[in-house]
Amino acid sequence: MSDRHPSSGPLVEGPHDPEHDPTASYALDRGYVADLTRRSAATSGRSVEVRSPIGDQPLAHIPQSSEDDVEEAFRRARRAQSDWARTSIDSRADALLRLHDLILDRQDEIIDLVCLESGKARKHAFDEPMHIALTARYYARTAHEHLDTRRVRGVIPVLTRIDVNRVPKGVVGVISPWNYPFTMALCDGLPALLAGNAVVAKPDAQSMLSALLAARLLDEAGFPPDLWQVVAGPGAEIGPALVQRADHICFTGSTATGRLVATGCAERLIGCSLELGGKNPILVLRDADLEKAAEGAVRAAFSNAGQLCVSMERLFVADQIYDRFLERFVARTEAMTLGATLDWGNDMGSLVSRRQLETVTAHVDDAVAKGARVLTGGRGRPDLGPFFYEPTILEGVTPAMTCFGNETFGPVVSAYRFQDEAEAIARANDGEYGLNASIYSRNGARSRHVARQIRCGTVNVNEAFAASFGSIEAPMGGMRSSGLGRRQGSEGVLRFTETQSVATQRVMRFAPSYGMSDEMYAKVMTASLRVMKKMGRA
Ligand code: NAD
C-alpha cells in the first residue's frame, strides 16, 4: 500500500485480522486527521465517530459545531467576503487555476480519503478530483464571459446607457450529501467564490474528512482561509442554522429534505438551488448497438454502487431486442469485480452505510415478495464487506412495488419492454422525478428528437451520464421533483449573483421640456414608439 502514497500521505496500515475480516484494513494517520479537523468551525466539545464502510472500521472523530460556531463562521465569512468581492475577477480565476493543479497533483490523497469514507471503487473515486479540476478550469477560463458588466439597450437609443452588473450575493450556504464526498463539497462553491461570494459549507457527517481536505486545498491554492468555512453536525440541526443566515442556499440531497430547505429559504426570501433525487430512465432503442448499450448500462446502473443522483434505475428496452440485450447486460453485470480495497481493479465497491444496505435490501425483497424476478444479484455480500450488495437486475416490477417509482439509490435496476418510442417516452416521463435520462441508438438525430420529449434536466445519447456531467459548460439539474435551478454552465455561476442595472440618462429627461405640455409630450413619446417599432428595434 505504502508505495502508492506520498510519504506525508494519510494512510497507515490498520490492524488486520484476515480470519474474522477478509477485507483489507486501513487506518488514517492521527496527525493528519487532527490537521484536517482543525479546519472546521467546531468548538462544542462534542465529537462524532466516523467509520469507514470498508470493514466498518473507525476512521476519525469529527468535532461538532454548535449554533454559536455557525454564527461565528458566518461572521468570519462575511468579513472575508467584503474584501474578496473587491479583488479582480482575474485574481479569483488565477486561484481556481492553482486549485486545478493542486487537485491533479494530490489526486492519490484525495482518492484514498474518498474511498475510505464512502467505500466506493477507486475508479469511481477518481471521477471526483477530475470533475473538480474540470469545474475549476471551466469557471476560471470563462469568468469574464459570465461576470463582466454588460451593456444592454436603453429606452432611448444613445441617450440612455444601461450597465448590467453582476453583484455577489454575499455568503452562500452549501449543504452537501455523502455520495460524492469531494465533488459535492466543492463543485457548487467554486463558482460561488469566483463570483465574489464567501461559502459556509455543511457536508454530510459521513463525508467530513474529504470536505475538510477540500478546504485545506483551497487554503493552499491561496484563497483567504476565512472565505470558506466548514461546519459539522446533524443535518436537522446545523442545516436550518445555515438556512437562517445565508444569502443563498445551495442544497444537494433528497427531495424530502430539499422541500424543507426550500420552505426555509422562502420564508427568508432568499434564493436556493436544489439538486435532488431521481428515478432515471435508460432507453435502448431498436437500432442500438447492443454491446455498447450493455456496456453503458452497466456503468449507468452500477457506478458508485448506484449511489449516484444521475444513475439509472429504470431500463426500457425495445421488445424486438429485449432478450438479446438482456443476455448481454446480465453477462456483463455478472463479470463485474466487486471489492472493498483501495486498489484499482474493482468495478464496484461497498454501499456507504448500513442504512443504505437496509434500503436496498428492503426494495429488492419487497419486489421479489410481490412477484418480481431477479435476473442477477439480489443479495448482500457480507463476505466482501459489511455493507456490500450485488449489482441487481430485476424484471417484472409493477407499480405495487416500492422500487417501481421510488429512488433506491443503490445498485438495482428494473428492466421493462416497450413496443414503440411513444410508449418508451411516456414511461420514461412517468413519476415525479426528472433528473437524467440516457438513450442508446445508432441514429443521433432520432435520439435527440426523443430527448426533446423527455422531461429531464440532462439527457445523454449513447452514454450514461458522464458526457453531460463532465461537460461543465452544460447546465445540469432536475426538472419537476428533481430540483430547482442548475449547477454548471452560466446558470451555475449566475445563481450566486444579484443582477444590478445602472441606467445613465444623457441630454433628454423623462418629462416635458422647453415649455412642452404633458399632452404634447405624450404625443411625441407615442410617435417615437411607433418609429422605433418600424425601425425593428427590440
Ligand atoms: P439528505 O437529504 O438526507 O441529506 C443531504 C444533506 O442535507 C446532508 O448534508 C444532511 O446532513 C443535510 N440535512 C439533513 N436534514 C436537513 C435539514 N432539515 N435541513 C438542512 N439540511 C439537512 O440526502 P442523502 O440521503 O444524504 O443523499 C442522497 C440523496 O441526494 C439522494 O436522493 C440523491 O439522489 C440526492 N443527490 C442528488 C444530487 C443531484 O445533483 N441532483 C447529487 C447527489 C445526491
Side-chain angles (χ1 to χ4, degrees), residues 176-216:
S176 56
W178 45 262
N179 64 332
Y180 274 72
F182 190 74
T183 300
M184 291 297 148
L186 279 176
C187 69
D188 293 304
L190 295 186
L193 293 184
L194 181 79
N197 298 280
V199 167
V200 176
K202 194 220 80 64
D204 190 88
Q206 181 65 37
S207 52
M208 281 301 298
L209 292 172
S210 302
L212 288 167
L213 174 58
R216 278 272 179 246

Side-chain angles (χ1 to χ4, degrees), residues 174-180 184 188 202-205 207 233-243 249 251-258 260-261 274-280 307-310 355-356 407 409 433 435 469 476-478 482-483 487:
V174 176
I175 302 175
S176 56
W178 45 262
N179 64 332
Y180 274 72
M184 291 297 148
D188 293 304
K202 194 220 80 64
D204 190 88
S207 52
E237 275 173 37
I238 299 295
L242 256 70
V243 173
I249 288 284
F251 173 84
T252 306
S254 63
T255 296
T257 311
L260 292 176
V261 168
L274 308 171
E275 310 285 341
L276 308 176
K279 189 75 187 174
N280 306 307
Q307 302 164 116
L308 175 63
C309 57
V310 287
R355 194 184 75 160
Q356 282 305 111
E407 185 185 43
F409 217 53
Y433 294 115
L435 191 59
F469 190 46
M476 190 185 159
S482 287
R487 61 164 55 111

Side-chain angles (χ1 to χ4, degrees), residues 1-11 26 28 32 100-117 121-123 125-130 182 210 213 217 342-344:
M1 189 192 335
S2 51
D3 57 341
R4 207 166 17 81
H5 302 292
S7 54
S8 60
L11 283 177
Y26 304 100
L28 283 169
Y32 180 84
H100 169 275
D101 293 349
L102 256 179
I103 283 173
L104 294 186
D105 292 348
R106 301 269 287 276
Q107 58 176 289
D108 272 345
E109 178 185 349
I110 296 166
I111 293 172
D112 283 347
L113 214 47
V114 164
C115 287
L116 278 177
E117 279 194 321
R122 194 167 192 87
K123 69 176 180 186
F126 170 75
D127 294 345
E128 305 208 27
M130 288 303 107
F182 190 74
S210 302
L213 174 58
L217 292 172
L342 296 196
D343 303 324
W344 298 97

Side-chain angles (χ1 to χ4, degrees), residues 150-154 160-164 501:
R150 270 182 321 128
R151 287 276 287 275
V152 299
R153 282 175 281 260
T160 314
R161 166 184 165 149
I162 302 288
D163 296 283
V164 179
S501 298

